[in-house]
Amino acid sequence: MKKLITLISAMCVVWAMQATDIVMLQDFESYNIGDSISMKNIYGSDFSASAVVCIDPRDSENRVLHINCATWNTLVNIAVSGVSKEELFGENTLLVYDLYRPATDGNYKQLMIYYGNERVYIDGSFVSQGATERWLTKSYNPYTPAIESETLSIGFNSNNCEYYIDNVRILKDIDFGFDYTDKQQSLRHYATLCGKNIGVAVAMSDANFYADIEDSTKIVTRTVSSQFNMVVAGNEMKFDALQPSVGQFDFTNGDKLVAFASKHGMKVRGHTLIWHSQLPGWIGAGSEGTQNNNNYTREQLLAIMERHITTVVSHYKGKVHEWDVVNECVSDNNNEILRPSIWKDVIGEDFIDSAFVYAHRADPEAKLYINDYSVEFSGNNKADRYYTLIKKLKNRNVPIDGVGMQSHLYVGSVDSAKLDANMKRYELLGLECAITELDLSLPTGQFGLMSAYEAQAADYRKIINVALGNTNCHSVLMWGVCDAVSWIPGFTGYTRGEPLLLDSFFVAKPAYYAVLDALKSGAGTLAIRHTSSPNHEDAYTNVYNAMGQLVGTNMNVHDIHHLPNGFYIINHEKVIIR
Ligand code: XIL
């Protein structure tokens, strides 16, 4: 419990404006060390597992529950007799607990939650449960059961796991800071009016997104669909996901995402066709993507590349608006342009040309991007080497349309002038730009500080303003929907985090309001220019001209494009069309 009080007070410092109710279901403080908590096998079978109250491995004053489990489908019972079903499973309620796994606990586990005999949550698959040897806060958005019960049962579906849990609680009536049913409180509404794409990456392990993708009541699905008009798969369209065995393509999750986007009038970014990382084992490139363990010749590897790109891009023809064709090909070493990789080393530097040509042949309408990190600010060595490479590609008529700047940045590092200069030099080459993987991380020491969130908000605002000021920049995408699912903590060895617009419980941070505000001002003052097809069916409900005459209702982007230049009021916003 001690730990939770610290957590609540930390939340108060940060989120004084929110009144989120925390109802503790079980913190194990009233038990004696050594007491057992009952467990059950969901099929009623005999099992080999134990749940025993013990001392927190990290805090000698705190009691927690230690679970050892050697039988599948065996969960811990948490009594919830005093709490009503409505309270437990309200629309804006998350079930939260703290999880600690020793280093010996294997990574890929599936969490299940039952209410009596009814399953109310299951991870879509066996997913990474996060770091070991540290307490993590896990939160879940269960569905509402039909039955009444007095027991929640929680645990991993595994016959080989050991873990600790504490502070099983619900956060009820969460004030997310925006009403997802009100378009005027959404990033996508104003981005669409600005003619921009505002996007988000969603991955398999992110709040069960792919499992719950058809359930519009889920907090994650309704947040993604209400706030964004573009999505990108965090991992599900990478080479290893789409072609796990040679010649065997698996489009299951990619197709789910495309269907979700189509249902909600959103565009899809495809990420990514050719990369040295997240390659399937059968390619034999090793963990760094630099080996050629199958001794492929240039011709053989080109054939592999052609087959992959052609199959994938053809499958998504007309459905994926733009592709990251080549990802992270530029070296981090200032003395060379391209990084070593199986692609570069076996095929040669023209692997990039081939990749773009194969993609263009498969879908001539798709926008084709190159994408990289640390390339955002003109004058930075890597940014300048990226530019040189792209200029050469353009000069030899490689079918490249755009330049992706990943933008995994630190708060405090955003230089608007250099970002602006960078976008402008690509415009001179006739290229689009996109901020493809934005996150602005804080060092752990600054977690919870309002001043840090304000600095972060200021950086987000700068980036949106530069994007709005450059007509060749069509899209800004966040690399994750909320802080809980960000890749940054794991990637930085838990030294940085909290980089996104929403906190771990989907609550809007100052960064969210800064982006909303920047887009709102943009919608009021910017011309609509490159609104190719945001396809937000009800974005232009009421369109008035400067005389206050209604010139159209329920107009689509095409109609808007054909209006005479001038000043309009569209859905209560001032817009100049020119
Ligand atoms: C990251 C994902 O977010 C993680 O889930 C995964 O474990 C590793 O890859 N640059 C990219 C993205 O182009 O594909 C990476 O995504 C982040 C860095």
Side-chain angles (χ1 to χ4, degrees):
M1 183 61 181
K2 191 172 150 281
K3 215 163 70 62
L4 186 74
I5 290 168
T6 325
L7 191 135
I8 295 171
S9 59
M11 285 175 74
C12 292
V13 174
V14 181
W15 301 124
M17 64 280 197
Q18 286 145 26
T20 295
D21 272 350
I22 300 179
V23 179
M24 182 59 69
L25 301 175
Q26 186 52 263
D27 64 11
F28 307 105
E29 294 305 310
S30 62
Y31 286 91
N32 294 315
I33 302 298
D35 283 355
S36 284
I37 306 273
S38 76
M39 297 185 80
K40 75 163 185 189
N41 181 281
I42 60 177
Y43 300 115
S45 325
D46 289 342
F47 57 84
S48 163
S50 66
V52 178
V53 175
C54 72
I55 296 290
D56 181 339
R58 285 296 167 106
D59 177 357
S60 59
E61 289 173 44
N62 188 38
R63 285 165 201 216
V64 301
L65 189 66
H66 182 200
I67 296 128
N68 267 295
C69 183
T71 312
W72 295 98
N73 304 302
T74 304
L75 315 177
V76 181
N77 295 324
I78 305 289
V80 287
S81 36
V83 195
S84 72
K85 189 167 102 178
E86 287 65 37
E87 253 186 313
L88 279 172
F89 301 102
E91 190 188 0
N92 297 324
T93 299
L94 288 168
L95 178 63
V96 179
Y97 70 95
D98 299 317
L99 170 71
Y100 181 97
R101 298 184 307 126
T104 45
D105 188 50
N107 206 5
Y108 290 90
K109 297 268 155 67
Q110 182 177 42
L111 189 90
M112 301 197 298
I113 305 174
Y114 273 68
Y115 183 63
N117 290 327
E118 195 171 337
R119 193 171 71 201
V120 291
Y121 182 90
I122 184 165
D123 277 333
S125 184
F126 285 72
V127 295
S128 164
Q129 297 293 344
T132 57
E133 297 193 295
R134 63 180 60 241
W135 282 100
L136 302 174
T137 299
K138 306 281 279 182
S139 68
Y140 302 93
N141 186 202
Y143 70 78
T144 307
I147 59 164
E148 297 283 342
S149 173
E150 302 202 326
T151 313
L152 269 179
S153 306
I154 301 179
F156 290 126
N157 185 18
S158 172
N159 64 346
N160 175 21
C161 61
E162 180 191 1
Y163 56 100
Y164 300 77
I165 62 171
D166 196 15
N167 304 320
V168 184
R169 58 202 187 269
I170 54 170
L171 266 53
K172 63 169 193 169
D173 303 326
I174 302 174
D175 177 359
F176 295 99
F178 56 86
D179 176 356
Y180 72 97
T181 64
D182 179 358
K183 283 198 293 284
Q184 311 277 337
Q185 297 186 42
S186 79
L187 306 179
R188 79 175 275 176
H189 175 71
Y190 295 101
T192 305
L193 289 178
C194 293
K196 301 285 182 189
N197 303 313
I198 186 94
V200 65
V202 275
M204 192 71 186
S205 51
D206 293 357
N208 230 21
F209 181 80
Y210 287 79
D212 292 340
I213 199 160
E214 284 172 21
D215 184 345
S216 301
T217 67
K218 290 290 176 208
I219 293 169
V220 64
T221 49
R222 73 190 201 204
T223 303
V224 171
S225 61
S226 70
Q227 297 301 316
F228 301 96
N229 57 13
M230 186 177 237
V231 274
V232 56
N235 289 310
E236 294 65 21
M237 291 198 196
K238 291 174 179 174
F239 206 131
D240 59 352
L242 293 186
Q243 198 185 161
S245 333
V246 59
Q248 303 281 310
F249 289 82
D250 180 354
F251 294 113
T252 318
N253 289 315
D255 288 357
K256 278 190 191 175
L257 188 63
V258 166
F260 172 85
S262 153
K263 175 173 166 191
H264 296 284
M266 308 166 86
K267 285 184 187 167
V268 181
R269 257 197 125 246
H271 176 81
T272 176
L273 298 170
I274 297 298
W275 188 23
H276 63 275
S277 197
Q278 291 180 268
L279 287 170
W282 62 263
I283 287 199
S287 59
E288 303 294 311
T290 50
Q291 293 168 25
N292 182 16
N293 295 334
N294 297 324
N295 295 317
Y296 291 132
T297 61
R298 172 182 152 93
E299 285 63 36
Q300 285 170 326
L301 199 58
L302 275 171
I304 287 170
M305 186 195 254
E306 180 171 16
R307 178 192 210 178
H308 185 77
I309 293 177
T310 308
T311 309
V312 170
V313 177
S314 305
H315 181 85
Y316 289 116
K317 187 169 181 203
K319 296 175 181 161
V320 165
H321 177 79
E322 64 196 39
W323 278 103
D324 284 333
V325 178
V326 173
N327 195 35
E328 300 185 349
C329 66
V330 177
S331 176
D332 289 325
N333 177 346
N334 290 350
N335 305 322
E336 59 188 7
I337 300 273
L338 297 183
R339 78 162 64 236
S341 74
I342 183 170
W343 308 111
K344 185 213 144 201
D345 299 342
V346 174
I347 297 174
E349 299 195 357
D350 61 350
F351 85 89
I352 303 173
D353 306 44
S354 298
F356 276 91
V357 169
Y358 299 146
H360 185 62
R361 281 185 195 151
D363 184 358
E365 300 297 315
K367 298 280 183 200
L368 303 184
Y369 273 69
I370 192 165
N371 191 43
D372 219 315
Y373 60 89
S374 301
V375 296
E376 294 76 18
F377 305 117
S378 263
N380 164 285
N381 188 293
K382 186 168 174 185
D384 290 352
R385 280 181 290 122
Y386 192 49
Y387 173 77
T388 307
L389 169 76
I390 291 165
K391 195 172 170 186
K392 284 184 183 158
L393 293 174
K394 195 64 192 158
N395 282 343
R396 47 181 198 267
N397 288 324
V398 172
I400 177 172
D401 300 293
V403 178
M405 304 171 185
Q406 290 186 0
S407 310
H408 295 294
L409 300 170
Y410 289 4
V411 170
S413 72
V414 175
D415 186 324
S416 296
K418 288 181 177 167
L419 179 61
D420 188 60
N422 211 15
M423 288 193 178
K424 292 208 158 55
R425 66 178 169 173
Y426 288 116
E427 173 149 49
L428 291 175
L429 292 183
L431 290 169
E432 298 182 355
C433 288
I435 302 288
T436 52
E437 304 180 14
L438 181 57
D439 46 34
L440 282 153
S441 64
L442 294 168
T444 42
Q446 288 180 23
F447 286 8
L449 297 179
M450 195 47 120
S451 56
Y453 296 129
E454 276 163 3
Q456 181 178 54
D459 275 353
Y460 268 104
R461 184 189 294 271
K462 283 188 198 171
I463 290 183
I464 297 295
N465 282 337
V466 174
L468 290 175
N470 284 278
T471 52
N472 64 327
C473 174
H474 301 277
S475 313
V476 177
L477 294 106
M478 316 294 159
W479 204 247
V481 59
C482 73
D483 284 343
V485 304
S486 169
W487 75 301
I488 291 290
F491 178 69
T492 61
Y494 293 85
T495 58
R496 304 189 69 87
E498 301 199 339
L500 294 165
L501 302 183
L502 308 179
D503 77 2
S504 287
F505 306 111
F506 295 88
V507 173
K509 293 157 65 182
Y512 169 88
Y513 297 105
V515 172
L516 183 67
D517 192 53
L519 292 171
K520 239 183 215 182
S521 332
T525 56
L526 281 183
I528 295 187
R529 297 183 189 104
H530 291 280
T531 47
S532 35
S533 61
N535 191 23
H536 188 354
E537 64 287 344
D538 45 11
Y540 307 103
T541 318
N542 291 305
V543 181
Y544 295 90
N545 65 15
M547 311 294 288
Q549 297 157 323
L550 187 67
V551 297
T553 53
N554 297 322
M555 297 179 89
N556 62 29
V557 174
H558 189 72
D559 303 328
I560 296 284
H561 253 303
H562 286 86
L563 287 171
N565 287 354
F567 176 85
Y568 292 84
I569 306 276
I570 301 182
N571 298 354
H572 314 292
E573 302 297 328
K574 287 177 267 172
V575 176
I576 301 161
I577 298 178
R578 57 174 186 244

